Amino acid sequence: MLCSPGKAAHRFSEMPDQSKIAIQCSLLSRRGGGLPAAVLPISKRLGHEAFLVTNDAPEETPAEMVCKVRSFGPFSTASRTLNANGARLVHTHGLWTNLSVAAVRWRKKTGSPTIVSPHGMLDFWALRQGQRKKDIALRLLERAHMNGSAAVHALNVAEAEAIRASGVRAPVAIIPNGIDPVPEETYVPPNWARRPTLLFLGRLHSKKGLSELIDAWTKAHPSLPDWQLAIAGWDDGPNQFRQQAAQSNAPITFLGPLYGSEKSSALAHCSAFVLPSFSEGLPITVLEAWSHGKPVLMTEACNLDDAFRAGAAIKVTTDSDALAKALIETLRDLPHLNSIGEAGRRLAEAKYTWDAIAHRFRALYAFALGETESCADIWA
């Protein structure tokens, strides 16, 4: 059973010496895509120091660590849940939801600190989607939410710049997303992996550049006769991707959503990974591909510029002609592909492990709670 405010207050009052960090995120089930993948590993490492507040509970996190709240405006139960749990710090992941309202109300009532992680939602491309509503929300709530916080968390330098451009004056800390090491096990090859495969994995949404990818693959596949494109993920709203693929007559297969060992098997047995996205915070799917030693083709919008400098990825664009040319040139050169994949694995192991990143979050939380004066290595 998910915790009610009363039960949560009793449970966490048994741990008076703990920090009691409330980690808020509206979507924590698998349909939340990159958000739960970024939030849950940190909450796991915090253990009983933290509890989760969400409108949409995660599938595998122990129920006693999760407070599911109603999300309907003034009828939201999020504020009461924060008060009942005795939180000392509230860290809200994402914008534009009732959880931002709850954090601001809680901060005004208690005088305790908040932290906000926009997760790419202040990126220029993202702000243009539903721009009028977001402009209103930014002016009436979210800018004050962030400016009143002890810190705003950015995933990278580009997001830190977008946060500043939105009018935020609060301190900005840069901490990337991460990955866990790949278990040493043999994954059963999926049926589709009988030929070289370029894999896309993520939610099926226009911002991911999927229409442009399908168009590019249609142009590229005569020059790559042995290859196929595999598209894995769930439909985030209505789309025409399958119809577009069917009309292309190119070798394109849709795998549906993949989780757990199925996702690991897909990453282990693909030949390369592609993400021609228009807008990202910092895509964990790219980090996961690197952890399996896979070469990555991605746009600058993925905000992993260090990968291009390290030779761990090929830079592509969302222009279908240019993307098709890059696919042909890159996928034909197997030795180069292998070297890109190995460079990606080294980069992921050196910079993007959750254990190291959790240490940086602990430093940020200690700063917000006044337990340390500085954590200089994370500030933008």
Side-chain angles (χ1 to χ4, degrees), residues 169-205:
R169 301 182 302 274
V172 177
I174 298 178
I175 305 175
N177 285 330
I179 50 167
D180 287 313
V182 175
E184 293 184 5
E185 60 180 276
T186 301
Y187 296 99
V188 177
N191 292 331
W192 50 263
R194 297 192 178 102
R195 59 192 297 186
T197 301
L198 176 65
L199 177 67
F200 167 92
L201 193 154
R203 59 192 175 102
L204 308 192
H205 188 277

Side-chain angles (χ1 to χ4, degrees), residues 203-206 234-242:
R203 59 192 175 102
L204 308 192
H205 188 277
S206 60
W234 68 101
D235 294 282
D236 187 0
N239 63 70
Q240 301 295 315
F241 300 136
R242 291 172 182 80

Side-chain angles (χ1 to χ4, degrees), residues 94-143:
L95 304 174
W96 327 124
T97 76
N98 67 300
L99 299 181
S100 294
V101 177
V104 171
R105 288 177 176 172
W106 175 84
R107 186 173 67 209
K108 288 180 178 178
K109 181 175 181 177
T110 65
S112 298
T114 58
I115 294 173
V116 187
S117 296
H119 286 281
M121 295 180 188
L122 293 174
D123 174 81
F124 178 70
W125 188 95
L127 283 177
R128 284 187 300 166
Q129 316 308 307
Q131 184 172 0
R132 180 172 296 181
K133 290 182 179 179
K134 289 178 180 177
D135 284 346
I136 293 171
L138 191 60
R139 185 170 64 252
L140 296 181
L141 172 67
E142 293 292 8
R143 188 176 288 117

Side-chain angles (χ1 to χ4, degrees), residues 9 13 22 27 33-34 62 99 163 221-222 363 367:
S13 68
L27 288 174
L99 299 181
I163 290 168
H221 93 270
F367 168 80

Side-chain angles (χ1 to χ4, degrees), residues 181-260:
V182 175
E184 293 184 5
E185 60 180 276
T186 301
Y187 296 99
V188 177
N191 292 331
W192 50 263
R194 297 192 178 102
R195 59 192 297 186
T197 301
L198 176 65
L199 177 67
F200 167 92
L201 193 154
R203 59 192 175 102
L204 308 192
H205 188 277
S206 60
K207 91 164 199 171
K208 301 291 186 178
L210 269 173
S211 181
E212 292 75 12
L213 174 60
I214 293 170
D215 190 20
W217 190 252
T218 303
K219 298 170 182 175
H221 93 270
S223 301
L224 299 164
D226 296 331
W227 282 76
Q228 67 176 336
L229 171 64
I231 297 174
W234 68 101
D235 294 282
D236 187 0
N239 63 70
Q240 301 295 315
F241 300 136
R242 291 172 182 80
Q243 294 90 320
Q244 182 184 357
Q247 293 168 4
S248 74
N249 294 318
I252 302 173
T253 182
F254 285 80
L255 306 178
L258 301 178
Y259 305 107

